Amino acid sequence: MALDRQLLQTIIGEFTVDAEQLREVAANFRQDLKLGLIDPKDSSLRMLKSYVGLPTGKETGEFLALDFGGTNVRVSRIKLEGAGRFEVIKKVGKPLIIPGEYDYIGAESTAEQMFDFLASLIDEAVDKDHETKFYLGHTFSFPSNQTNLYNAELIIWTKEFKTAGVEGKIVNDLLKTSLEKFGLTNVEPIAVINDTVAVLLSAAYQHPDTYIGSIYATGQNNCYVEASIHDPENAGVGGMILNLESGNFMKLTPNRLDVEYDEGSEKPGEQRLEKMVSGRYMGELFSMALSEIFEEKGKNYGFTAIDMSSILMDDTIDGDRIAAIVKDKADKNVDSEECAKIKQLAAAIVVRSARLVTAAYVGMIWHRTGTGKISRQHIAVDGSVYEKMPLVQENINRALSELLGEEAANVDTILDNGGSGLGAAIAAAMAVNHNA
Ligand code: GLC
């Protein structure tokens, strides 16, 4: 069956964000930051206090870092050497779900099972050493209310996590209980941070002039240093980092497919921006669009962001690899022209994502800059979509230029690969210094 080309063209149009819309999203983001600082209830940005500012780069010592926020959990032992240098001494990791074997993120799993699993991984990272004292920094990449660096209470699961009994709980308390069960009373969780905060700490440890941290992966979220907030509980310098939970940013217009996806999602009405841009959702939108084009609306082909990346990377003349992926997932035979169209659809979804993410970056830059000139700065980004998805980085740069004109030359994005782990270690060091 041939695909409906006209519909495909219409859908590509629905995923296009023009210059005017881009500027409007950036301006709305800036406005929501302003409103959120006065009262988060008036903003779709959660503006969560992290109780940590920027590191000095001189933090030293050996720390445990737990990185928990996607389908893979990692625990590392990291030695901070000061002067922006560090060494990863050991690293272990495991997925939270192996279909058919175990699943710690589904609705059937409990908080206890999930945190016992984390504790067992920590046990592996310390080589079952139950004597030596270890301070642990915990990158917990979900919206959490904090009252200090230790105390983080999960507000709501995102990224389609469903584990029972964690929402509303202090996550480090759950972790502590599990650590005790494993005889790991020598491991002391001392700091919890969001992954965006971790990336910012990690990048700022190595590069001054970094004030914005971003994750662009399964989920998408940003944080920045708010210079106006001072709090005795705040560790570090330069103000307080706010985790925006900007995946929940609402002041933008979803298209027909976005609305449909949201209605059938785990948390309808939540995470509008994230559902339009992050890796977890781009594959879903692509699948939905293709099911319409193949006149099988409602069928889930299960395309992932990785499939989209492979489709965009196919440089064969006839689109052989695209045809193979479409055959595999949707059981459809497509000719070379149709492959080119399908590639355009994938591109439209990815380009929209990069443009909307950039609008948020610019909203933060405008907010931090105020009325002056934009200073030289880096935006630290980690995540597979940023790192590996074709078209993303070039479209971020293009959108930065569109929005900032010549001043875009002062801003660049830098990849901070592995920042989630390093940032957790830095946060632990900052908490130790602060408590000293
Ligand atoms: C989701 C989470 C957020 C996290 C992001 C990236 O948006 O709510 O806390 O930073 O994913 O992992």
Side-chain angles (χ1 to χ4, degrees), residues 141-143 158-159 194-196 215 219-221 245 271 274:
S141 316
F142 300 93
T158 51
K159 296 178 277 197
N194 186 254
D195 51 356
T196 54
I215 297 287
Q220 204 285 313
N221 183 20
E245 287 297 323
Q271 304 294 101
E274 185 161 73

Side-chain angles (χ1 to χ4, degrees), residues 218-272:
T218 308
Q220 204 285 313
N221 183 20
N222 304 309
C223 73
Y224 78 101
V225 197
E226 174 56 52
S228 72
I229 301 183
H230 304 280
D231 189 297
E233 291 287 347
N234 195 46
V237 297
M240 189 184 290
I241 303 177
L242 297 180
N243 164 19
L244 300 182
E245 287 297 323
S246 51
N248 196 41
F249 180 61
M250 297 301 271
K251 292 183 179 157
L252 71 179
T253 315
N255 69 23
R256 192 176 50 81
L257 290 171
D258 296 319
V259 172
E260 268 177 38
Y261 179 77
D262 179 57
E263 282 166 359
S265 68
E266 182 60 26
K267 298 257 160 71
E270 304 278 341
Q271 304 294 101
R272 178 173 294 168

Side-chain angles (χ1 to χ4, degrees), residues 390-434:
L391 300 175
V392 163
Q393 294 189 26
E394 63 188 85
N395 279 285
I396 290 178
N397 291 336
R398 198 168 295 154
L400 279 173
S401 295
E402 253 176 79
L403 290 167
L404 300 178
E406 275 179 14
E407 286 189 285
N410 286 340
V411 181
D412 64 0
T413 55
I414 52 174
L415 173 67
D416 192 80
N417 206 335
S420 285
L422 176 59
I426 295 168
M430 290 167 79
V432 170
N433 290 344
H434 182 73

